[in-house]
Amino acid sequence: MNGFLNILKPPGITSAAVVARVRRLTGEKRVGHAGTLDPEAAGVLPIMIGKAARLFDFLVDKEKEYVAEAAFGVSTDTQDATGHVTSRGDHYPAYDDVVLMLKRLEGDIVQRPGMFSAIKKDGKPMYELARKGETAEVPERIVHVESIVPRGEMPDHGVLMTVRCGRGTYIRSICDDLGRLCGCPAHMRFLLRTVSGAFTIDTAMTLEEAEALQKRGELAARLLPPDMPLGHMAKAVYTENARRLIAAGAKLPLTAEQAETLPDGMNTRVYLNGEFWGIAVRDGGHLVWRAQIAPEET
């Protein structure tokens, strides 16, 4: 089995636990996920299976979209509803004021995520230190927030919003920062990821659906092909004459057209007679392999 599953992760389990269930389900050792989701968050979690795991470094996961709820009145040490309360306040902002403050969190912004984050210090995730009761200064980072669209008020002083952002953005920190800007402590009460690169929630399946498909022997047919999330890349097509070079993983000479259109250093999808064989990069007059995904029958 080689390809991707677009899994709709439920709240209450880790991304690693989803990988473990898919590994048991498929019997495939090479299984991984692209883009961690917090345990209490739900939504799109791309799962790489088999040879598709070699493509992790080439996936475009810069574009992500979330539906989130910020709840005013309490801030926590995890910046979400699972943490311990660190401050309280009852100066609840008016909805129009929240809308104005959300604009200040768009664009390139500086974030300092909390201790309960996957950011590493000395090779260890910060959340591991936090669980041991240790403290350390979390470094600031610049992240890009494309847009934050307010969706209305929710019960118990909540505000629903849709956030489009780049990788590495912590929605929990956006909610915490929103509370600071509005003068009332806030935390993230709800999070649903609806887009992760080429993967969207409308095509995601639950783990239960995946298990049912596997029992019927239909899961392999539902795998998304390895090149599905690579449409942003340039494409080089070769004919049967190049089969021996491609199968051997040798350098591939550029055609005249490729030489005109592919700059040095550009990652390129390589196809042989319409079949995807992997990713190569231009180096002078040749394409040099970076990740080879030979079709199964070869």
Side-chain angles (χ1 to χ4, degrees):
M1 298 181 70
N2 299 298
F4 292 88
L5 282 179
N6 184 9
I7 294 295
L8 179 61
K9 189 188 92 65
I13 66 173
T14 65
S15 299
V18 174
V19 168
R21 285 183 63 173
V22 173
R23 187 178 289 122
R24 290 193 299 269
L25 182 65
T26 61
E28 174 63 61
K29 294 181 180 179
R30 298 166 297 177
V31 179
H33 63 77
T36 302
L37 269 176
D38 287 342
E40 294 308 312
V44 171
L45 183 66
I47 301 294
M48 308 170 290
I49 299 176
K51 295 177 182 178
R54 301 176 189 172
L55 302 173
F56 175 79
D57 291 335
F58 306 100
L59 301 180
V60 170
D61 62 351
K62 294 180 180 178
E63 286 192 10
K64 295 185 178 179
E65 182 180 276
Y66 299 87
V67 175
E69 181 187 0
F72 291 94
V74 165
S75 62
T76 72
D77 57 356
T78 60
Q79 300 179 331
D80 62 21
T82 67
H84 297 291
V85 174
T86 56
S87 64
R88 297 180 183 273
D90 56 6
H91 296 291
Y92 303 114
Y95 180 70
D96 289 345
D97 292 334
V98 174
V99 172
L100 288 175
M101 292 301 140
L102 286 175
K103 285 295 179 184
R104 295 178 57 178
L105 294 171
E106 293 179 330
D108 291 332
I109 64 172
V110 176
Q111 272 196 344
R112 188 189 297 274
M115 278 289 296
F116 288 86
S117 67
I119 297 173
K120 292 185 178 181
K121 181 178 177 62
D122 299 328
K124 293 185 178 181
M126 298 295 288
Y127 63 77
E128 289 187 4
L129 300 176
R131 288 169 181 168
K132 295 177 181 178
E134 300 179 23
T135 59
E137 184 175 357
V138 182
E140 290 184 338
R141 55 202 286 174
I142 297 176
V143 297
H144 182 72
V145 178
E146 183 67 27
S147 64
I148 306 179
V149 179
R151 299 298 184 186
E153 296 181 90
M154 301 295 288
D156 298 324
H157 312 292
V159 172
L160 197 67
M161 53 189 165
T162 299
V163 183
R164 291 190 65 86
C165 58
R167 68 181 301 178
T169 305
Y170 277 82
I171 309 301
R172 289 178 289 161
S173 294
I174 287 179
C175 295
D176 186 76
D177 288 341
L178 179 62
R180 297 178 193 279
L181 289 172
C182 292
C184 182
H187 65 278
M188 185 184 75
R189 188 183 312 184
F190 168 82
L191 183 67
L192 174 69
R193 183 160 68 192
T194 55
V195 175
S196 181
F199 300 90
T200 60
I201 197 167
D202 58 320
T203 59
M205 68 174 70
T206 66
L207 285 167
E208 291 73 20
E209 289 171 331
E211 290 168 353
L213 287 168
Q214 182 71 344
K215 286 181 181 179
R216 298 198 301 266
E218 300 173 4
L219 184 61
R222 292 286 297 273
L223 285 181
L224 300 169
D227 59 337
M228 175 266 178
L230 304 176
H232 60 285
M233 287 186 178
K235 182 177 181 180
V237 178
Y238 287 87
T239 61
E240 190 64 25
N241 294 335
R243 179 174 290 275
R244 289 182 63 185
L245 288 175
I246 291 177
K251 291 182 179 181
L252 302 175
L254 295 176
T255 65
E257 180 181 355
Q258 291 166 351
E260 290 183 2
T261 59
L262 298 178
D264 267 354
M266 174 176 282
N267 289 327
T268 303
R269 294 170 291 156
V270 177
Y271 291 81
L272 174 63
N273 296 332
E275 292 183 318
F276 176 63
W277 274 73
I279 298 171
V281 62
R282 180 177 178 177
D283 183 7
H286 293 81
L287 287 175
V288 180
W289 291 102
R290 295 195 63 192
Q292 199 165 29
I293 313 292
E296 275 302 291
E297 60 271 19
T298 61

